[in-house]
Amino acid sequence: MDAWVVAHPGPILSRPLRRVRVPVPSPGPGEVLVRVEVCAVCRTDLHLAEGDLRPRRPRTTPGHEAVGRVVAAGPGAGRLSPGTRVGAAWLRSTCGHCRYCLRGSENLCPRSTYTGWDADGGYAEYLTVPEDFAYPLPPETPAEKLAPLLCAGIIGYRALLRSDLPPGGRLGIYGFGASAHLTAQIAIAQGATVHVLTRSARARELAMTLGAASAGDAADAPPEPLDSAILFAPVGELVPVALSALDRGGTLAVAGIHLSDIPPLTYDRHLFQERTLRSVTANTRADGRAYLELARAHPPRVTTVLYPLAEADLALADLAADRVEGAAVLMISSP
């Protein structure tokens, strides 16, 4: 089958990805084999390709927003019948018995593994996924509209929960890519006033069409104090900017897996008056199920830019250069 691997992590212009021919994988115990229809492109894939995330195995195939059809099952699997459409997301497995798993915080499991980092992901014609971590998906929805939900949507949903946005509150969103444009729609649907702050003029235009109350540059102050904020851009310099924009008692949630260094914070200006700074670490399957149910009941407008599998490296380069409006999606096979 055709697949892409991270051959030599480095700047995206050095072409760290290589297109290769490899055997179709065999599903192991508890796993299913999935023929991939599409795979969305996530900034985490870019962090892996460029070495911001240290590779956990050589020549890994990225991609953790894959939609496809089950074609075979390994020993002990079989709940998902052949032909079932499923999604393979970032969280691939957890131990199930540590104190974090037992208390419902499986996203913090020390032995958790991740699609496209610990195991080969969706920049390929086939992948394997543990059956218990595959999300059944509606067969009637275009696959390219489902793929961004599997990380951009789910992580954005968890970040929104972590931001403690009060009912009818004022939410600031810093950076406006795949995850942010989905999260903004949830918040607006729930009655929030959303202010978007991003350096991309095209992203600001998209934000306004989706119902944002305002859209300014990332360094701008929002037009009113914020009850909550989410930082999607992997830019540590924006942490004090976002904290300064919070009202008393406000919360900033940092949604990315990687962040550049945060400048020194001033207690009085950035944290006093009970402002809170929180990180967001992966997601639980409960988060995933809750968000996908919400998206099925209230389908979001999913803005996508489509690429053939042969142009996965170009898709990552466009993402790095902020040339993607919404989510980039690799088109791999017909359903």
Side-chain angles (χ1 to χ4, degrees), residues 22-310:
V22 294
V24 174
S26 298
E31 295 181 346
V32 291
L33 176 65
V34 176
R35 184 171 185 254
V36 181
E37 297 173 56
V38 304
C39 185
V41 177
C42 179
R43 191 165 291 274
T44 300
D45 304 333
L46 180 63
H47 292 319
L48 180 67
E50 294 197 315
D52 297 322
L53 290 183
R54 186 181 300 275
R56 290 184 169 177
R57 56 199 290 274
R59 297 177 69 83
T60 298
T61 296
H64 55 272
E65 298 175 279
V67 175
R69 305 275 180 166
V70 173
V71 296
R79 175 175 50 83
L80 297 171
S81 58
T84 302
R85 177 181 266 177
V86 298
W90 178 235
L91 185 65
R92 177 181 169 85
S93 72
T94 59
C95 74
H97 58 259
C98 69
R99 64 191 182 109
Y100 304 102
C101 288
L102 293 177
R103 76 184 192 198
S105 301
E106 65 180 3
N107 60 309
L108 302 179
C109 174
R111 288 177 287 281
S112 55
T113 66
Y114 299 92
T115 309
W117 194 16
D118 295 285
D120 289 329
Y123 288 24
E125 294 180 287
Y126 293 86
L127 60 69
T128 61
V129 58
E131 188 175 45
D132 289 344
F133 286 78
Y135 294 98
L137 296 174
E140 70 278 3
T141 305
E144 64 269 22
K145 300 299 184 183
L146 292 171
L149 307 184
L150 293 168
C151 180
I154 293 172
I155 293 297
Y157 175 75
R158 184 171 183 86
L160 185 59
L161 296 179
R162 293 280 292 165
S163 75
D164 276 348
L165 179 66
R170 301 156 298 177
L171 175 68
I173 291 180
Y174 289 80
F176 204 71
S179 191
H181 96 286
L182 295 174
T183 307
Q185 294 179 66
I186 301 174
I188 292 168
Q190 293 175 342
T193 298
V194 172
H195 300 288
V196 171
L197 301 117
T198 181
R199 66 183 184 181
S200 167
R202 287 193 303 169
R204 293 195 292 269
E205 292 174 6
L206 175 60
M208 295 303 291
T209 67
L210 294 175
S214 73
D217 188 81
D220 291 345
E224 59 182 337
L226 304 173
D227 298 304
S228 302
I230 304 173
L231 175 58
F232 287 104
V235 182
E237 288 82 359
L238 290 177
V239 170
V241 174
L243 286 170
S244 295
L246 291 177
D247 203 352
R248 301 179 181 212
T251 297
L252 169 63
V254 179
I257 191 173
H258 169 78
L259 190 71
S260 61
D261 289 345
I262 300 172
L265 300 177
T266 301
Y267 180 68
D268 181 66
R269 181 179 176 188
H270 300 120
L271 295 172
F272 191 55
Q273 295 173 335
E274 300 194 350
R275 297 179 179 91
T276 300
L277 173 61
R278 286 179 163 177
S279 66
V280 179
T281 301
N283 63 275
T284 66
R285 282 172 288 175
D287 293 328
R289 289 189 290 266
Y291 175 71
L292 292 172
E293 289 175 8
L294 180 64
R296 190 163 190 175
H298 305 283
R301 174 180 161 187
V302 183
T303 301
T304 58
V305 181
L306 306 182
Y307 298 80
L309 177 61

Side-chain angles (χ1 to χ4, degrees), residues 315-334:
L316 273 185
D318 285 349
L319 181 65
D322 287 333
R323 291 190 291 263
V324 177
E325 182 179 303
V329 177
L330 305 179
M331 307 298 289
I332 298 174
S333 68
S334 300

